[in-house]
Amino acid sequence: MKIAVCAKQIPDPANEVTYSDGIINRPDEQVLDDTDRYGIEVALQLKEKFDAEVTIISMGPAGTQKGLQQALQMGADKAIYVDDDSLKGSNSLKTANVLSELAKSLTADIVIFGTESTDGYSGTVPQQVSRFLDVECISYVKGLEVGDNITLTRQTVEGSEKVNMPEKCVISVTAGGVEPRYPNFKDIMAAKSKPIEQISLGDLNIVSEQNVEFLNVDTVESSKAGEKIIDEGEAYQEIVNKLRELKVI
Amino acid sequence: MKTLIIGEIINNNLSSGTLEILGKAKSMELETQVITVGSDDTPTIGLNETKQTYIKRSNSSLNFSKVASKITEIIKNEDIKLILGSSTYMCRDLISFISVDLNSSPISNVIDFDLHDGKISTVNSINGGESLYKAKINSDHSLLLIRPKAFDPAEVELNTDYETIDVDNSDIEVFDIYIEEKSGPQLEDSKVVISAGRGMVDKENLEMIVTLATKLNAAIGGTRAIVDAGWMPYSQQVGQTGKTVKPDVYIACGISGATQHQVGMKDSKYVIAINKDEEAPIFQLADLGIVGDTLSVIPKLNDNL
Ligand SMILES: Cc1cc2nc3c(=O)[nH]c(=O)nc-3n(C[C@H](O)[C@H](O)[C@H](O)COP(=O)(O)OP(=O)(O)OC[C@H]3O[C@@H](n4cnc5c(N)ncnc54)[C@H](O)[C@@H]3O)c2cc1C
């Protein structure tokens, strides 16, 4: 079984995000998007059972490759990526086009994603990739049981439902479903010798175009901080008064 | 502009998200039709003034890719240019599939849009809601995924008068369908929401949240941290990967206020936060902040209501 896991390098979420012409400024050193750790975890659980090969696929400025290293440290076998200036600010469709071409180049059976990246947060790329690859998409997976079949539990609006994983498909994994593993020292050392290969954009069949024109980006003003009261035993009274004023009681 | 709203069914009726988009489409006087996707037998979703088509699928098959192909066919046949859906699980799947068919990238998390000279411009939230992005769509088709509560819902009378189209099952069978029980006021439509975070310290302490909620006729929500910890079902999670709420009063109890949580509640009219850490980010958007121990403040509050 060949598994491709899509992983994205993003600026460390601890730092404030800045933009130039609507495009996120990406420092040389980026980290693995936490959302992707869930997808990698699912891939590794499949690998344990089926002796599968797990390849990380990624698009974006490679920089120091720290995020890719972090993905390999978790236990993926190798990584391939596309880093091309012409892809800066790509919309979700073009991103999906590139990633599906990478998955094709690996002849991957299963392609796994987190549900949405922390920075772009469009939440459409896994489904788009499945359409490009003409396979079904098992979206919002929050758990898996590996037995005779591989049973995936999907999150639904009303609760959950289960499906058996087909031989070829795309899976998107929601955060919280599985517990991503932490690499130990041995894993970290082992990752250093795992192959990371750059693929040229020219070798891929890209059909989609930029259809979204950037106009403006603004940080949301959330500083409407009101009064802050230190509780010395009576602060509940402030809440009672406020609820009365707001006619909740 | 010829517009299609992809509708959803909740409790045999059109979902609030669908009605919100319909409200916006009406205010813009767009030439609108609705295609609602569901698996109920005869839902009450017909609209008096707007064409409604029901795509009926079986919930024992994961067949959204087939549903999407059907919708793409209708879009092409009827020369529809603008396609709108809520940011829900189903619409995200459908609009993503359709975007590949139409070779037009969708825009997610849209909170407003407009039409100028035949082009759609949008405002959408990115980076977990930290920034607002304005853009113009230059392709033939515009596909938008709209965040819940972005618009006021249309006031409509619903009937059972519509055309129904059936779609085939896929090869993927769905089983063990589990529906979470819902009781008490629901998050999406309550005027008061009380949410709990890890600062409630222990699952058992949620009892005091239930007491408070009963007194205030409020719905109960929670952070992902406590949902992941199994204190509360996922259906009660508020935030980026959970529900979006917009109540008159939101009471955050022991919640740090991570951006992913904020996206789901920051449009609440009045926010009260109780947190023992004076520096907790939740205080930046609280109208009334109480720096204190939840386990001491909430019981006293309960005793005095
Ligand atoms: C991709 C992604 C999606 C996410 N989606 C969501 C989402 O939809 N919703 C969501 O909520 N989160 C989401 N998160 C998680 C989010 O980042 C935070 O981790 C989470 O919201 C924190 O929950 P919390 O406030 O309960 O816990 P913590 O961050 O641990 O905060 C607990 C707070 O309680 C306070 N406290 C502790 N004890 C007491 C006491 N006795 N009295 C008073 N205060 C006390 C502490 O000071 C602290 O501020 C997401 C994260 C990622 C990466």
Side-chain angles (χ1 to χ4, degrees), chain B residues 243-262:
Chain B
K243 298 226 155 96
T244 301
V245 299
K246 205 175 175 178
D248 290 346
V249 181
Y250 187 87
I251 310 180
C253 307
I255 293 177
S256 59
T259 28
Q260 295 95 349
H261 185 76
Q262 290 189 13

Side-chain angles (χ1 to χ4, degrees), chain A residues 173-187:
Chain A
V173 183
T174 63
V178 290
E179 195 55 52
R181 62 195 67 190
Y182 279 102
N184 57 31
F185 181 71
K186 219 177 100 211
D187 301 326

Side-chain angles (χ1 to χ4, degrees), chain A residues 85-102:
Chain A
D85 266 356
S86 70
L87 292 173
K88 272 196 182 145
S90 283
N91 57 33
S92 67
L93 191 64
K94 193 156 186 178
T95 307
N97 193 171
V98 171
L99 293 172
S100 59
E101 285 294 305
L102 288 179

Side-chain angles (χ1 to χ4, degrees), chain A residues 206-220:
Chain A
I206 307 303
V207 293
S208 52
E209 282 151 38
Q210 284 299 108
N211 64 328
V212 181
E213 182 184 329
F214 163 73
L215 299 176
N216 173 38
V217 64
D218 266 326
T219 309
V220 179

Side-chain angles (χ1 to χ4, degrees), chain B residues 198 223-224 237-241 256 260-261 275 293-294:
Chain B
R198 211 142 38 185
T223 63
R224 190 166 105 194
Q237 180 176 316
V238 173
Q240 180 186 326
T241 40
S256 59
Q260 295 95 349
H261 185 76
N275 193 306
D293 188 344
T294 50

Side-chain angles (χ1 to χ4, degrees), chain A residues 5-9 56-60 68 80-83 98-99 102:
Chain A
V5 190
C6 184
K8 188 174 184 185
Q9 301 196 110
I56 301 295
I57 57 177
S58 191
M59 173 187 126
L68 296 176
I80 60 172
Y81 69 91
V82 175
D83 173 2
V98 171
L99 293 172
L102 288 179

Side-chain angles (χ1 to χ4, degrees), chain A residues 222-242:
Chain A
S222 68
S223 53
K224 62 161 184 176
E227 40 176 346
K228 210 186 313 183
I229 292 155
I230 314 242
D231 180 37
E232 282 161 352
E234 305 296 320
Y236 72 88
Q237 196 57 49
E238 299 288 338
I239 304 181
V240 176
N241 294 345
K242 197 35 100 178

